Amino acid sequence: MNNPLYYLSIIFKLNTRLFTNTLAGVTEDQGDERISDHNNSIRWIATHTVWARYNILTFLGKQITNPYNGLFENFKPFDPSDTYPSMAAIKSEWEKASALLEEAIAGITEEGVSNTGFKNPTGDSTVGGTIAFLAQHESYDIGQLGLLKKYFTSEAMSYS
């Protein structure tokens, strides 16, 4: 337990499973539906969440190419003219990003989390504070996905 991100790693591991569970049973058509013009679709939120997880890797020093670069930068909202990936592709990229995240967290040092990240709502602009914020952001996205899954499939997200 000498890893400075140990407790956040627990949240990320739980989120890895919960994200997958929120997409279980969601069809391609349901993935595109929006409950209003002011809400995002499951597909948009899920793709955004994978994009954000890949971005976490960059803060942890991983040199990766985010497959969803260009879709969400600068707080870009839902755009019906954009093409978002299939539900299967989203799940596949989630698995890849999750494996990389687990590896990156395992190798993080106290010095690594003390470096400057970026200004975020936690008020702690270190890498550790930035990762804490991104864990909360990811959890928030998963909560939205859980609500939409229940709405469209009538099935609740499972914790198992």
Side-chain angles (χ1 to χ4, degrees):
M1 186 161 81
N2 293 334
N3 186 308
L5 295 180
Y6 173 76
Y7 292 107
L8 287 177
S9 74
I10 293 170
I11 292 171
F12 284 123
K13 286 177 186 175
L14 177 61
N15 281 353
T16 296
R17 185 173 71 239
L18 296 181
F19 177 89
T20 301
N21 292 350
T22 64
L23 301 184
V26 174
T27 66
E28 294 292 328
D29 288 341
Q30 289 168 332
D32 287 331
E33 290 185 55
R34 297 167 67 200
I35 58 176
S36 78
D37 290 342
H38 304 290
N39 296 93
N40 294 313
S41 66
I42 289 174
R43 187 182 314 276
W44 188 95
I45 296 168
T47 306
H48 170 79
T49 307
V50 175
W51 169 83
R53 185 163 269 201
Y54 272 109
N55 287 335
I56 292 169
L57 292 165
T58 64
F59 286 106
L60 294 173
K62 288 287 190 185
Q63 300 297 317
I64 53 99
T65 300
N66 192 325
Y68 303 130
N69 279 341
L71 286 176
F72 304 103
E73 283 76 13
N74 300 312
F75 307 102
K76 183 180 176 189
F78 173 79
D79 184 342
S81 68
D82 283 337
T83 301
Y84 300 99
S86 69
M87 300 303 288
I90 294 167
K91 292 175 193 176
S92 176
E93 288 299 335
W94 179 254
E95 290 172 12
K96 290 176 193 174
S98 297
L100 291 169
L101 181 60
E102 193 167 332
E103 176 187 306
I105 287 176
I108 197 70
T109 64
E110 188 66 46
E111 180 181 66
V113 297
S114 299
N115 293 332
T116 302
F118 73 89
K119 187 174 180 178
N120 65 70
T122 69
D124 178 341
S125 63
T126 65
V127 168
T130 300
I131 300 302
F133 166 69
L134 294 171
Q136 188 283 327
H137 174 268
E138 184 176 280
S139 298
Y140 178 80
D141 285 354
I142 289 169
Q144 291 180 71
L145 290 168
L147 175 74
L148 292 171
K149 174 191 173 56
K150 177 76 171 181
Y151 181 83
F152 289 117
T153 69
S154 300
E155 296 175 9
M157 176 200 73
S158 167
Y159 271 88
S160 59

